Amino acid sequence: MGEYVAMDRQAVRDDYARTRRTFHALLDTASRAGLDRPSDGTRWTNRQLLWHMLFGYIIARVLLVLARAFSRLPRRLSRGFAGLLDAGIKPFDLINYLGPCGAARVVSPRRMGVLFDWVTGALERRLAAESEADFARGMHYPVRWDPFFKDFMTIADIYRYPAQHFDFHHRQLTLDEPG
C-alpha cells in the first residue's frame, strides 16, 4: 500500500507560495498572443494550460474530501472505486481536455489569478488544521488519470500533488518567461 512520508507543512506552504508567485508573474506578463499560442506537448493553448494548472489545485480539495471519506471504509472499496475510474479513462480524457478549453473562454486571466489565490489559501488553512494522524490516512486512486497519482495516496501526498502537477505543466508553457 501507500507509504506515509512525514508531512512538512512548511515545505508545502512554501511550494504553494512559490507557485502562486509564478502563476501571477506568468499572468501579469503574458501577452494576448502568448496566451493564445499553442503549448508544448499538449493540445491546449497557454491560456487553457494555465487554467488546467489552476485546476490541479481546485481538484486537490476534492481529492482530500474523497480521501477523508474512503479512509474510514475498508480499503477494498477505494480500490474498487479507483478501478472503476480507471476503466472510464476515455471519457475522463475527453472531459479533462474540454474542461480547460471551455473554462479559459469564460474565466479571464485576472480571474484565474484571484481563483489561484483563493484555492491555495483554502488549502493552506485546511493544511494548518490537519492532525498529524490525518496525514497518513488515504485511499486508492486511478493511476491512469494523472502521472502523479499513485495507487494509494495519503492525505499528505494529496497536499503535495498540486505543486507537482503545476511544475510539470509549467515546463509545457510557451509564454515568454517573466524577466
Side-chain angles (χ1 to χ4, degrees):
M1 292 307 135
E3 183 177 310
Y4 174 68
V5 176
M7 183 59 154
D8 181 346
R9 292 176 206 242
Q10 188 57 50
V12 172
R13 284 191 295 268
D14 291 347
D15 274 344
Y16 290 3
R18 174 186 53 80
T19 58
R20 191 168 36 248
R21 284 188 309 272
T22 301
F23 196 72
H24 281 283
L26 291 165
L27 293 174
D28 291 347
T29 61
S31 66
R32 183 179 188 104
L35 289 170
D36 293 336
R37 186 180 307 134
S39 62
D40 182 21
T42 80
R43 297 180 349 199
W44 289 314
T45 65
N46 287 315
R47 181 188 313 264
Q48 293 162 344
L49 185 54
L50 284 164
W51 169 261
H52 181 75
M53 292 162 66
L54 161 61
F55 192 69
Y57 283 89
I58 294 170
I59 199 69
R61 296 186 73 216
V62 175
L63 298 176
L64 287 166
V65 170
L66 287 173
R68 283 187 198 97
F70 273 102
S71 70
R72 290 178 168 79
L73 302 171
R75 281 204 177 165
R76 64 181 157 69
L77 294 178
S78 75
R79 186 177 296 116
F81 182 67
L84 181 66
L85 293 176
D86 260 342
I89 189 69
K90 287 191 186 278
F92 167 79
D93 284 344
L94 180 62
I95 292 166
N96 190 46
Y97 169 70
L98 292 175
C101 292
R105 295 185 113 167
V106 296
V107 180
S108 70
R110 186 188 71 71
R111 186 74 180 130
M112 282 187 215
V114 170
L115 285 170
F116 201 94
D117 292 346
W118 177 82
V119 74
T120 55
L123 284 167
E124 287 173 343
R125 286 186 296 279
R126 185 65 196 138
L127 173 68
E130 295 283 3
S131 73
E132 286 301 316
D134 285 341
F135 289 128
R137 294 172 45 201
M139 66 176 279
H140 291 276
Y141 278 89
V143 295
R144 294 174 61 194
W145 280 33
D146 190 284
F148 298 105
F149 283 3
K150 298 184 286 188
D151 174 51
F152 189 89
M153 291 178 68
T154 64
I155 286 177
D157 293 329
I158 297 165
Y159 277 109
R160 294 179 191 108
Y161 163 78
Q164 294 171 325
H165 178 263
F166 181 97
D167 291 340
F168 175 79
H169 288 300
H170 181 212
R171 292 186 290 273
Q172 295 176 311
L173 291 169
T174 58
L175 294 167
D176 294 328
E177 286 295 319

